[in-house]
Amino acid sequence: MRRSLAPVAVFAGLALLVSACSSDKPESAPPGSPTTAGTTQTPASPDSTPSSPSVPPTPAGPPKLTKILQQPVDGQHVVTQQRKYLVTRGSDDAGITTVTDRSSRRIVVKHVPPAGFVAQSPVVIDDQWALIEDIRDDGPDPEIRAYRYDLSTGKSVDLASQKALPRISEPEIGAAGGTFAYSSTDAKRRSCLVIAELASLKARTVSCVADPGYVADPVVSADSVTFSEITSPQTTRRCKRLLTAPLAGGMAKPVAAAKNCIQWSGASLRGATVWSEVGASDPDQYQSTGYIRETAGGSARSIGPIVTDTVVACGNWIHWEVRTVTEGVERFQLQRWQPGLARPQRIYATPPDAAVTPPTCQDGNLIFEVAHLGAGSKYTEALQVTTA
């Protein structure tokens, strides 16, 4: 593989980073918690423009926020919640992944990574199957393993044994429901983007780039996949550009950059794209500049700084995180946009001393986790946002 793999799954990694702050393990939220089950958050009141016939109407009022799970920072962390199953990951070093039936609360899968491996997000899941990925990047022999579990029996199959399915070669997997996208290496040593179906394991190759270039960072929406193509990776001519391709089939087309050659991540939906760019010499690559383009040939509009690598499409919206620092106090926001809006909407803002994971999407619901690290009790809560 061309680069080191992410050492820790993002949800478990957040817990490990903050667990040293406190040994408090509250059973419920302390008074004054920012959200409770079934409550709503009021977004900023953005201007909007009338929706075109091809764009779903913008709903009146703020979206609904529902609490999925609250735990101590060193407890279980929500990876995703599907209509039948809840997927959580432990704060142990390997990141043990558990799939629980939401109705019966029966554990149907408890996945322990092999020795030397750690769990990697996300988990791809539908009503029958779950795909869980592990990575090993320490030592001279890095490796990626992925397993498909039958949720009716709890039995797993190593995807490497499925000859019709190209091997996974980069750790990032994009998914929307039972459709997932990933990088593979073909017989010509080209890095290729593959789209596959979880249920059938049928796959097709979308686009390839010659070695030493590679493709990475796929983000799947309801109708398309957006991904990166990195060329000349070890030279001063390194370029990271975005492309998007329809899930129904067809050629991948580039997303024209606004300024920088390094387009970090993005998501496309109904022909519109939100993406971020960062300069190769920028000192803070955690922050990037976000852009909106309503159509493939339209002009790019800046949406200001966003947190790098947090753009995700869900339901009828594209979402991302924003970080602000006011008088030394760091806060995070979740924002969203859809074609027809003049500017983004804010749908969630953290209180002071809180961190938030990048959002994921499942069954049209946005899911994210907030770690509350203030002076009082320290805990995490996973929230779900309706996106219709």
Side-chain angles (χ1 to χ4, degrees):
M1 285 173 286
R2 297 173 178 81
R3 56 195 173 114
S4 62
L5 306 178
V8 191
V10 65
F11 293 90
L14 172 62
L16 292 171
L17 286 171
V18 300
S19 61
C21 297
S22 173
S23 59
D24 295 335
K25 299 183 179 182
E27 303 254 337
S28 60
S33 287
T35 58
T36 56
T39 61
T40 59
Q41 299 289 323
T42 302
S45 300
D47 295 334
S48 63
T49 57
S51 299
S52 70
S54 62
V55 177
T58 301
K64 181 181 178 181
L65 279 151
T66 303
K67 186 185 295 182
I68 300 174
L69 183 69
Q70 182 171 301
Q71 289 279 296
V73 292
D74 57 354
Q76 291 287 309
H77 299 272
V78 172
V79 178
T80 193
Q81 178 170 272
Q82 194 258 2
R83 57 190 172 188
K84 288 176 121 180
Y85 301 101
L86 173 66
V87 183
T88 59
R89 188 157 287 156
S91 298
D92 52 283
D93 290 340
I96 295 173
T97 303
T98 303
V99 182
T100 304
D101 186 301
R102 293 177 60 191
S103 297
S104 66
R105 299 192 178 183
R106 179 177 64 90
I107 293 176
V108 296
V109 170
K110 188 172 184 179
H111 175 79
V112 181
F117 285 77
V118 297
Q120 173 80 3
S121 287
V123 168
V124 186
I125 189 169
D126 63 12
D127 288 347
Q128 178 66 36
W129 309 97
L131 184 154
I132 300 176
E133 182 187 29
D134 298 326
I135 59 175
R136 178 179 63 197
D137 65 346
D138 291 334
D141 187 24
E143 187 179 352
I144 298 172
R145 292 186 182 179
Y147 307 86
R148 190 181 75 159
Y149 280 87
D150 185 334
L151 298 177
S152 64
T153 64
K155 295 182 179 180
S156 68
V157 172
D158 187 340
L159 288 189
S161 67
Q162 306 300 302
K163 295 183 179 180
L165 192 69
R167 292 285 296 268
I168 298 172
S169 60
E170 297 287 337
E172 302 91 356
I173 295 177
T179 300
F180 63 103
Y182 64 93
S183 300
S184 186
T185 302
D186 69 4
K188 299 178 182 178
R189 294 187 56 82
R190 298 179 304 173
S191 177
C192 302
L193 182 82
V194 174
I195 296 177
E197 297 297 327
L198 182 60
S200 66
L201 296 183
K202 290 182 179 178
R204 69 178 179 91
T205 298
V206 175
S207 178
C208 298
V209 61
D211 187 65
Y214 59 97
V215 298
D217 309 320
V219 176
V220 178
S221 73
D223 61 11
S224 58
V225 56
T226 305
F227 61 99
S228 298
E229 182 181 275
I230 298 92
T231 56
S232 303
Q234 303 301 325
T235 73
T236 57
R237 294 180 291 108
R238 178 179 183 267
C239 188
K240 187 177 193 286
R241 66 171 186 160
L242 286 181
L243 298 93
T244 186
L247 293 182
M251 298 287 292
K253 296 181 179 180
V255 176
K259 291 183 178 181
N260 294 310
C261 185
I262 299 181
Q263 294 171 284
W264 200 272
S265 63
S268 298
L269 183 66
R270 298 192 305 274
T273 305
V274 176
W275 76 97
S276 68
E277 297 180 12
V278 63
S281 60
D282 288 356
D284 181 10
Q285 304 218 338
Y286 176 67
Q287 289 273 77
S288 50
T289 302
Y291 296 92
I292 288 172
R293 183 176 282 119
E294 296 217 20
T295 61
S299 59
R301 306 200 321 254
S302 173
I303 50 175
I306 71 174
V307 179
T308 301
D309 207 22
T310 62
V311 184
V312 61
C314 197
N316 297 321
W317 300 83
I318 302 177
H319 305 76
W320 62 91
E321 287 182 18
V322 174
R323 172 181 173 265
T324 61
V325 179
T326 304
E327 296 181 350
V329 178
E330 181 182 55
R331 295 176 187 258
F332 293 88
Q333 298 176 13
L334 281 179
Q335 295 189 1
R336 70 179 185 178
W337 174 83
Q338 64 177 201
L341 288 184
R343 63 173 185 258
Q345 294 180 349
R346 186 186 70 193
I347 61 171
Y348 179 82
T350 64
D353 301 316
V356 62
T357 61
T360 61
C361 182
Q362 182 68 46
D363 296 333
N365 292 306
L366 196 75
I367 297 168
F368 61 100
E369 188 172 83
V370 182
H372 298 271
L373 309 172
S377 297
K378 295 171 176 60
Y379 64 99
T380 65
E381 59 180 352
L383 303 174
Q384 178 175 287
V385 183
T386 57
T387 62

